[in-house]
Amino acid sequence: MYPFTYIKAKTNKEAITAIGSNSNAKFIGGGTNLIDLMKMNIEMPQQLIDITSLDLKKIETLPNGNIKIGALVRNSDLAYDETIMQKFPMLSKALLAGASPQLRNMATTAGNILQRTRCSYFYDTAMPCNKREPGSGCSAIKGYNRMHAILGTSDKCIATHPSDMCVAMAALDAIIHIESANGERTINFLDFHLVPGDTPEKENVLQPGELITAVEIPALPFASNSTYIKVRDRHSYEFALTSAAVALEINDGIIQNARIALGGVGTKPWRCKEAEQSLINKKATADNFSAAADIALKDVKTFQYNAFKPKLAKQTIISALQTIGGNNG
Amino acid sequence: MANKNENDTLVNDCDIITRKEFIAQTSAFTAAITITTSSTKKIINKLSAPAPGMLTVAMNVNGKEKTLEIDPRTTLLDALRENMHLTGTKKGCDRGQCGACTVLVDGRRINSCLHLAAMCDGVKVTTIEGLGTPDNMHPMQEAFLKHDAFQCGYCTPGQICSAVGLLKEGHAKTDDDIRELMSGNICRCGAYQNILDAIKEVQQNA
């Protein structure tokens, strides 16, 4: 690890002022991804601003029924929160499918959103990587790309977004609250992460000097009928090959509303609005789920070692929808 | 005198290098630097940055107040092992993947290899040494012995701290729950079944 100075911020304002005066500073919350990246000399901040003392640790139900999750709420506390388990089971399940209990006890909500890809070439500083060193090339496109993305890729980068939690948040149309010296703003979750395009080093729309303070989950009554299914090489403690967060509202066997988002296949948490639309006013049958999965995956582009992913992702979507929508026909 | 002679030789050798040769050699060296990648340049810049100041951190470790002078880069794991000489906590992967470094911070199990000691000011840390002693073992330590829940023992302090944290969290209802919630602790000897038996016994007796 390269040398850095350490300061502890006591208020949001202190944190924002500190990061505003040092463009090479970074906030540290749980640190589970940042410290790892610093050990690998991928992140080399000159200063760490410890924000764990900030008052951003509450999970509140707002008067309009939305849930506001403080940026520093630990992944384990969010996963086991009774309101979340009851009203948004897909979010609880996604969180519990990620990392290990120890890491979930450390990792924060905002840190989870800002975590970086686990592409092995991004981590290997001896190899070219456009995300780590813009212009150096992508080692994954013609390398061992079994874990890599099939949606949202570019000729510069095919790294997957690693988060499980973010897949549920994409499905739930979460809203990210941000504070900076210029005041407060919100960003829709789906607009927060960026596909790599020509600038894979730019992963989200957060501006320098901005602090994520909370994530708001809009009330969605039918999300109580939701789930998250993750397929991986090991049963536990492994990143997704494919995953799906789904919610269904069904009346008399007819689908009224649907939410579908995918993990392990996209360069960002992947929402499938067209597939959701295709299910509305249809019967909750395996054939309709299968047709929706085809729509969700119609733009896939596979690489040498991940050609299995479209079929696996399709089965993951169908299986998730059947889990909450019944195994009919 | 031998030293003096060696020095003389060095000086003489230096004298032999002409100004022209010196310039040629340093130019080659400069060229070598110029063609390095931008990441190498970044690393060179970082290395020439001034050394950061030491930090004073006070924490309660196994019931004792400890005050440490540490480099900001020090992880809790290294602070425990190198500064406090509590070597019960083990360094495995040092990247949060194996769980050997698991300790309890304010009662919650965490990976001490990914936690900065600087962030531990005012916290309460419990390591394997703080759970029990050979004469007065923690029930989980006793159960691990009884069920032969280890072979080489390297992952054991982390397994035991993790198991204590798991029972405190109270989310494990079935064998599969325990297996899933112990998945952050890897055992290369494969003592998993016996680890499960040990944890179940402590859970049932609680």
Side-chain angles (χ1 to χ4, degrees):
Chain A
M1 243 190 274
Y2 285 92
F4 59 86
T5 55
Y6 166 89
I7 59 164
K8 197 176 187 101
K10 290 182 194 69
T11 62
N12 293 3
K13 201 172 168 226
E14 251 183 58
I16 290 162
T17 307
I19 205 147
S21 62
N22 186 349
S23 60
N24 291 311
K26 277 200 172 283
F27 293 134
I28 183 162
T32 54
N33 190 213
L34 181 58
I35 298 293
D36 190 25
L37 291 167
M38 287 168 68
K39 286 184 178 187
M40 302 297 287
N41 297 329
I42 295 164
E43 295 275 12
M44 294 181 277
Q46 283 176 1
Q47 182 174 58
L48 285 185
I49 303 162
D50 179 354
I51 57 168
T52 53
S53 295
L54 305 188
D55 183 21
L56 303 171
K57 295 170 190 157
K58 287 193 284 287
I59 304 172
E60 306 165 86
T61 303
L62 303 178
N64 62 2
N66 294 2
I67 311 287
K68 195 171 178 185
I69 304 157
L72 291 171
V73 172
R74 306 286 173 174
N75 285 182
S76 47
D77 293 331
L78 185 58
Y80 291 116
D81 179 85
E82 282 194 19
T83 309
I84 298 294
M85 289 173 80
Q86 206 181 349
K87 296 188 169 173
F88 305 102
M90 68 156 75
L91 180 55
S92 175
K93 285 172 193 285
L95 281 157
L96 293 174
S100 69
Q102 289 97 315
L103 292 169
R104 294 196 291 268
N105 277 344
M106 304 168 80
T108 64
T109 306
N112 190 316
I113 293 170
L114 293 172
Q115 70 176 303
R116 308 202 64 191
T117 184
R118 299 313 196 284
C119 170
S120 52
Y121 299 107
F122 173 72
Y123 263 84
D124 184 349
T125 53
M127 299 295 284
C129 169
N130 286 324
K131 196 184 267 302
R132 179 166 31 76
E133 202 175 329
S136 62
C138 173
S139 304
I141 288 174
K142 290 194 170 165
Y144 188 59
N145 43 37
R146 183 168 178 275
M147 296 299 289
H148 288 75
I150 53 173
L151 287 162
T153 59
S154 74
D155 61 357
K156 300 285 189 294
C157 180
I158 61 169
T160 44
H161 192 275
S163 172
D164 295 294
M165 180 194 82
C166 288
V167 180
M169 286 188 173
L172 295 170
D173 278 335
I175 301 157
I176 298 177
H177 289 252
I178 288 163
E179 208 174 303
S180 72
N182 302 325
E184 296 177 19
R185 69 172 180 134
T186 57
I187 302 174
N188 291 332
F189 198 87
L190 296 179
D191 299 328
F192 185 80
H193 294 102
L194 298 169
V195 292
D198 288 330
T199 52
E201 73 281 8
K202 203 166 159 33
E203 295 171 350
N204 58 60
V205 298
L206 201 66
Q207 296 298 308
E210 288 189 318
L211 171 73
I212 296 178
T213 55
V215 179
E216 189 177 334
I217 310 287
L220 189 73
F222 77 88
S224 60
N225 185 39
S226 69
T227 197
Y228 183 76
I229 286 186
K230 180 177 182 182
V231 182
R232 42 189 158 169
D233 285 329
R234 289 186 298 214
H235 187 66
S236 306
Y237 199 12
E238 178 60 282
F239 291 98
L241 289 168
T242 61
S243 73
V246 299
L248 283 176
E249 182 179 19
I250 303 170
N251 278 343
D252 295 329
I254 306 295
I255 296 166
Q256 311 294 316
N257 260 308
R259 293 285 172 93
I260 304 172
L262 307 178
V265 290
T267 50
K268 60 179 264 184
W270 205 261
R271 177 74 179 271
C272 311
K273 286 190 177 181
E274 209 184 316
E276 294 167 5
Q277 285 300 315
S278 78
L279 284 171
I280 293 174
N281 294 325
K282 299 261 176 63
K283 283 184 183 166
T285 62
D287 282 349
N288 287 334
F289 294 156
S290 175
D294 283 335
I295 293 171
L297 297 162
K298 69 178 162 50
D299 295 325
V300 298
K301 176 178 165 44
T302 61
F303 298 86
Q304 187 178 0
Y305 295 101
N306 69 5
F308 68 93
K309 277 198 176 186
K311 193 172 176 188
L312 188 64
K314 181 178 175 176
Q315 294 306 322
T316 309
I317 297 169
I318 296 170
S319 173
L321 288 169
Q322 284 182 328
T323 302
I324 56 165
N327 199 351
N328 309 307
Chain B
M1 294 310 282
N3 284 343
K4 188 173 180 292
N5 286 342
E6 275 173 26
N7 286 342
D8 285 347
T9 312
L10 281 173
V11 170
N12 289 341
D13 284 345
C14 285
D15 285 344
I16 294 165
I17 297 173
T18 64
R19 186 171 176 273
K20 195 175 163 189
E21 285 168 326
F22 178 75
I23 290 168
Q25 282 177 16
T26 49
S27 300
F29 181 61
T30 311
I33 286 188
T34 316
I35 58 163
T36 54
T37 63
S38 65
S39 72
T40 315
K41 273 187 220 156
K42 225 158 65 183
I43 289 166
I44 290 167
N45 288 341
K46 292 270 172 186
L47 280 172
S48 55
M54 299 288 274
L55 297 169
T56 305
V57 181
M59 63 183 98
N60 181 300
V61 181
N62 299 332
K64 291 183 189 133
E65 296 300 329
K66 301 269 185 184
T67 303
L68 307 170
E69 287 284 316
I70 50 153
D71 182 304
R73 288 172 288 185
T74 313
T75 59
L76 175 59
L77 173 61
D78 285 338
L80 288 168
R81 290 182 56 86
E82 309 298 332
N83 297 58
M84 295 179 244
H85 310 295
L86 290 167
T87 52
T89 307
K90 299 293 185 253
K91 183 182 279 195
C93 68
D94 206 25
R95 292 187 58 191
Q97 297 178 356
C98 76
C101 68
T102 304
V103 298
L104 301 161
V105 171
D106 290 335
R108 292 164 70 110
R109 50 179 167 155
I110 63 147
N111 299 108
S112 61
C113 72
L114 289 183
H115 197 50
L116 291 179
M119 295 171 78
C120 292
D121 199 44
V123 307
K124 202 174 158 220
V125 181
T126 306
T127 69
I128 190 72
E129 292 95 338
L131 285 178
T133 62
D135 299 328
N136 183 22
M137 280 191 282
H138 185 280
M140 193 65 76
Q141 291 169 316
E142 273 181 9
F144 266 63
L145 269 181
K146 180 181 164 189
H147 290 276
D148 199 15
F150 52 86
Q151 185 176 310
C152 82
Y154 195 80
C155 72
T156 313
Q159 298 277 3
I160 290 176
C161 285
S162 191
V164 170
L166 175 149
L167 292 189
K168 193 165 176 237
E169 288 158 12
H171 300 300
K173 307 278 184 269
T174 64
D175 287 10
D176 277 350
D177 288 347
I178 294 175
R179 285 194 183 95
E180 169 62 34
L181 294 172
M182 286 298 291
S183 65
N185 294 82
I186 312 295
C187 170
R188 273 188 76 177
C189 305
Y192 295 112
Q193 185 56 46
N194 295 1
I195 291 170
L196 175 67
D197 292 344
I199 296 171
K200 273 167 67 180
E201 179 172 289
V202 179
Q203 187 180 36
Q204 281 154 14
N205 294 340

